[in-house]
Amino acid sequence: MNLAERVTRVAAPVVVGVLLLVAWQLISGISTGRISLVPAPAAVIEASVTHSGIIVEDAFVTGGNALVGLIAGTVSAVFLAGLAAWLRPIDAMTAPVIAAIAVIPIVALTPLLNTMFGASSQFGRQIVAAVAAFVPVYVNVLRGLRQARPVQRDLFRAYAASGGQEFRLLTMPTALPYLVTGVRIASSLAVISALVAEYFGGPADGLGTAIASYAKSGNQALAFAYVGASIAVGLVFFLVTVLLVSSAVNSLQ
C-alpha cells in the first residue's frame, strides 16, 4: 500500500465524519414548535460530560446483560449445532424450533419475561440477549460443521484416522471461520436486544431505560448522549469479540 492509498484510507472516514457533524449542526437549527428537531452536537457533548458517571454505570449494566446473553446463546448454539450435525434426526426435530426462535418479537417477549422473573430482575433482559445471539451462531456453526467434503472424510478413514482426529484436524478447522462469523453477528445483536429489552420495562437502570425516560421527558441532549453510549458499547462488543475469536482461531490452526 503506497502513501496515497494510506492517506485516502485515513482521510475518507474523517471527511465523512466532518460532513455528518456539519449536517447534524444544520439540522439542529430546525425547530418543531418549542424544541429543535435534534439537539446540537455541543449540547450532547455537554450532557455526556456532565452525566458521564451515571452513563458509564448504565453502560456497564447493559454491557453485562449483553455479555451474559452472548455467552449463554453462543455456548448453547454450539452445543446444539454439534448434536444436529452429528445426528440428523435431531436436526429435523430442532429445525422448526430454530425457525420459530428466529422470528420471536423481542418487544412481545420482554414484558412476559419481566412478569415471570419480576420487574427488578435483569434475568429477562439476559434471556432476550441470549435468544438473539443463539440463532446466528447456531446457523453458522451447523453450516460450518457440514462443510467438510465426503472425499476429505474418506481420505481420513483411508488413513485409519480416529473420530477424534477427524474432528480435530478436519471438521473443527473447517467450521471455525463460520463460528467467527456467527459470533461476530451475535455480538451486535446481543447489545441491540439488551437495549430493546431495557426500553420495554424492567429495572430502572441500563441505557435503554434511560433513553426511553429522557426522550419522553423532553431532555433530548441527554437522550442522545445515551444513544452515543449505546453505540460505543456495541462497537466495543463487536471489536473485542472479533479480536478474541480471531486469536482463538489462529492459536488452533
Side-chain angles (χ1 to χ4, degrees):
M1 183 183 297
N2 56 39
L3 180 60
E5 291 177 342
R6 292 179 181 177
V7 171
T8 302
R9 193 170 183 177
V10 174
V14 172
V15 171
V16 172
V18 171
L19 291 176
L20 289 175
L21 193 61
V22 171
W24 181 4
Q25 181 65 45
L26 293 175
I27 295 174
S28 66
I30 303 175
S31 60
T32 56
R34 287 190 248 173
I35 61 175
S36 58
L37 186 62
V38 294
V44 175
I45 294 174
E46 182 182 356
S48 300
V49 173
T50 304
H51 300 86
S52 58
I54 187 64
I55 291 176
V56 171
E57 290 180 10
D58 286 333
F60 272 104
V61 172
T62 301
N65 290 333
L67 181 60
V68 172
L70 177 61
I71 293 173
T74 299
V75 171
S76 57
V78 170
F79 176 75
L80 190 59
L83 288 179
W86 180 37
L87 300 172
R88 292 284 179 172
I90 293 181
D91 183 22
M93 289 187 294
T94 57
V97 178
I98 303 302
I101 292 175
V103 295
I104 289 179
I106 296 175
V107 295
L109 181 63
T110 301
L112 295 176
L113 293 174
N114 288 336
T115 303
M116 291 171 59
F117 300 105
S120 61
S121 174
Q122 300 284 355
F123 194 55
R125 297 172 173 180
Q126 294 166 358
I127 291 178
V128 169
V131 169
F134 174 85
V135 176
V137 176
Y138 175 86
V139 171
N140 280 278
V141 170
L142 181 59
R143 183 181 179 186
L145 291 173
R146 292 176 174 170
Q147 287 304 302
R149 299 178 181 177
V151 65
Q152 295 173 316
R153 298 192 182 280
D154 291 340
L155 179 62
F156 270 77
R157 296 190 183 104
Y159 281 99
S162 65
Q165 290 174 324
E166 181 179 334
F167 178 80
R168 180 169 54 87
L169 298 175
L170 176 62
T171 305
M172 188 170 66
T174 305
L176 280 175
Y178 293 86
L179 172 61
V180 173
T181 301
V183 175
R184 187 184 304 162
I185 298 171
S187 63
S188 299
L189 289 178
V191 175
I192 294 171
S193 301
L195 285 166
V196 173
E198 292 169 354
Y199 192 90
F200 286 95
D205 51 7
L207 297 175
T209 304
I211 292 172
S213 175
Y214 290 117
K216 292 175 183 177
S217 65
N219 193 340
Q220 288 184 306
L222 191 52
F224 268 73
Y226 272 94
V227 170
S230 303
I231 295 172
V233 171
L235 289 175
V236 168
F237 261 72
F238 179 80
L239 294 175
V240 172
T241 302
V242 170
L243 290 175
L244 289 178
V245 176
S246 299
S247 299
V249 170
N250 293 332
S251 64
L252 291 173
Q253 290 179 341

